Amino acid sequence: MTGIEPATHNVCSSQNGGVEVRCERGLPDASVVAEAVLTEARSTCGGLLFVANWVNAAYSVDVSELCGHFLHFTYEHVRRLNKLVRYAHRLAGEPLVLHPLRGEVKVLVYGDAAFQNMNKSRSQGEAVAMLRDQTTGTVAMISHYSRRVKRVARSTFAAELLNQATSHDLGVFVRRLMEWMWGLPTRLHARTDCDSLCNYVHSLRTHPREKTLNAEIDSLREALLEGTLTSFEHVPGRFNVADGLTRLDKAPKGLLLAAMRGCLCLPRTDALVTRRFRPPPEC
């Protein structure tokens, strides 16, 4: 996987099995690439998504954002694709490490959303599911996703809520998988950096202005009442691991890379640290 290199529209195979594309000098970066180039770009982005999903989640947002431009793929996008390919060759320095978990294990899910940060004013949702050893504090990242929110979000709160419902399904799947493997009951904990969302889920007195969102809020509240979800709390953005999947800058990705190595920093006031869980809302 060597990427695509713009500078003739002639296509030739390289020694590493990739495709090298050259464009005539003076061709503007905003010009649409040829069909052969677009086909190779799709193949390369598919390989990058495979690497992002199985090896490194830190730059999934970059690859996903680039895949949204295939309807109007230009040579500027080709240059960005080359940078991602070069970065993929250096992924060995940031491996996914799975440490042994010998104490009480909890399933921890972080969710986050970005309102209309994709093409055609679409919102992006992401989540990270991991196992946390309550004795040592070591974590093991199990699954993650970074993709478009399937439903139309009219506000940032709507995007956060719709993505949180999807991340809850991911957490339930991981919890049931662990229970099937170990034969022991496992508890699920969810975290989000949207404070108003936590207040709505834990309260029956306040409701959002968009009445169509009440069904999703009720589903999360029922999960707390039934015990499917043990805790649903707010964390500051700097402690949200999933925040690194929505930002293109490198700063928020440090927490995500640390979680891949088995390290996770929780706030001192978090329920998993204090072991004081908020009681479920009363019906």
Side-chain angles (χ1 to χ4, degrees):
M1 185 169 54
T2 58
I4 304 174
E5 188 173 337
T8 111
H9 293 305
N10 299 328
V11 180
C12 60
S13 298
S14 64
Q15 295 179 355
N16 293 330
V19 175
E20 181 181 358
V21 180
R22 301 184 179 276
C23 60
E24 297 179 359
R25 183 175 299 178
L27 197 63
D29 294 340
S31 59
V32 180
V33 298
E35 186 65 25
V37 180
L38 182 60
T39 301
E40 187 62 24
R42 290 177 182 272
S43 176
T44 304
C45 284
L48 291 177
L49 285 175
F50 177 85
V51 173
N53 291 332
W54 289 94
V55 180
N56 193 310
Y59 80 128
S60 297
V61 56
D62 303 345
V63 183
S64 301
E65 194 274 337
L66 187 62
C67 291
H69 296 281
F70 279 133
L71 294 178
H72 189 78
F73 206 75
T74 63
Y75 283 99
E76 177 61 29
H77 298 136
V78 170
R79 289 187 173 86
R80 292 171 54 188
L81 179 59
N82 275 334
K83 293 182 180 179
L84 292 175
V85 171
R86 288 193 294 268
Y87 181 70
H89 288 294
R90 300 193 298 268
L91 284 179
E94 298 293 344
L96 176 61
V97 181
L98 298 178
H99 297 279
L101 306 177
R102 298 184 174 89
E104 183 184 5
V105 177
K106 307 287 186 180
V107 179
L108 185 58
V109 178
Y110 287 88
D112 192 23
F115 179 60
Q116 294 185 356
N117 71 327
M118 305 182 71
N119 59 329
K120 297 184 180 180
S121 300
R122 297 171 178 173
S123 301
Q124 179 188 2
E126 50 283 318
V128 178
M130 61 185 71
L131 304 178
R132 184 178 188 271
D133 192 329
Q134 286 291 93
T135 305
T136 61
T138 307
V139 297
M141 188 179 299
I142 299 300
S143 178
H144 77 280
Y145 69 81
S146 177
R147 56 175 178 261
R148 176 177 65 88
V149 178
K150 295 182 179 180
R151 292 174 55 182
V152 177
R154 301 180 179 178
S155 61
T156 303
F157 174 79
E160 293 278 357
L161 174 59
L162 297 176
N163 177 71
Q164 196 63 43
T166 306
S167 64
H168 173 67
D169 295 338
L170 174 64
V172 171
F173 169 76
V174 174
R175 179 181 65 84
R176 291 179 178 177
L177 180 63
M178 295 301 107
E179 290 179 345
W180 175 79
M181 292 176 57
W182 297 329
L184 299 174
T186 308
R187 297 186 178 276
L188 171 62
H189 302 268
R191 298 293 181 266
T192 178
D193 56 4
C194 184
D195 192 17
S196 58
L197 175 57
C198 290
N199 295 333
Y200 284 133
V201 171
H202 287 278
S203 176
L204 297 174
R205 300 179 180 179
T206 57
H207 302 279
R209 295 181 179 179
E210 298 182 48
K211 301 303 180 183
T212 56
L213 301 178
N214 287 332
E216 303 294 343
I217 295 178
D218 292 340
S219 65
L220 293 175
R221 187 182 298 118
E222 290 178 1
L224 288 172
L225 293 173
E226 296 175 356
T228 307
L229 183 62
T230 303
S231 68
F232 180 64
E233 301 295 339
H234 167 263
V235 292
R238 64 180 183 274
F239 291 103
N240 192 355
V241 182
D243 195 33
L245 296 174
T246 57
R247 305 288 185 86
L248 295 178
D249 49 338
K250 297 181 180 180
K253 297 180 181 180
L255 190 62
L256 182 62
L257 294 175
M260 292 176 58
R261 294 190 294 267
C263 303
L264 178 65
C265 182
L266 290 176
R268 295 181 178 178
T269 57
D270 194 276
L272 290 175
V273 178
T274 62
R275 299 182 182 272
R276 298 177 181 178
F277 298 100
R278 187 189 310 191
E282 298 181 358
C283 294

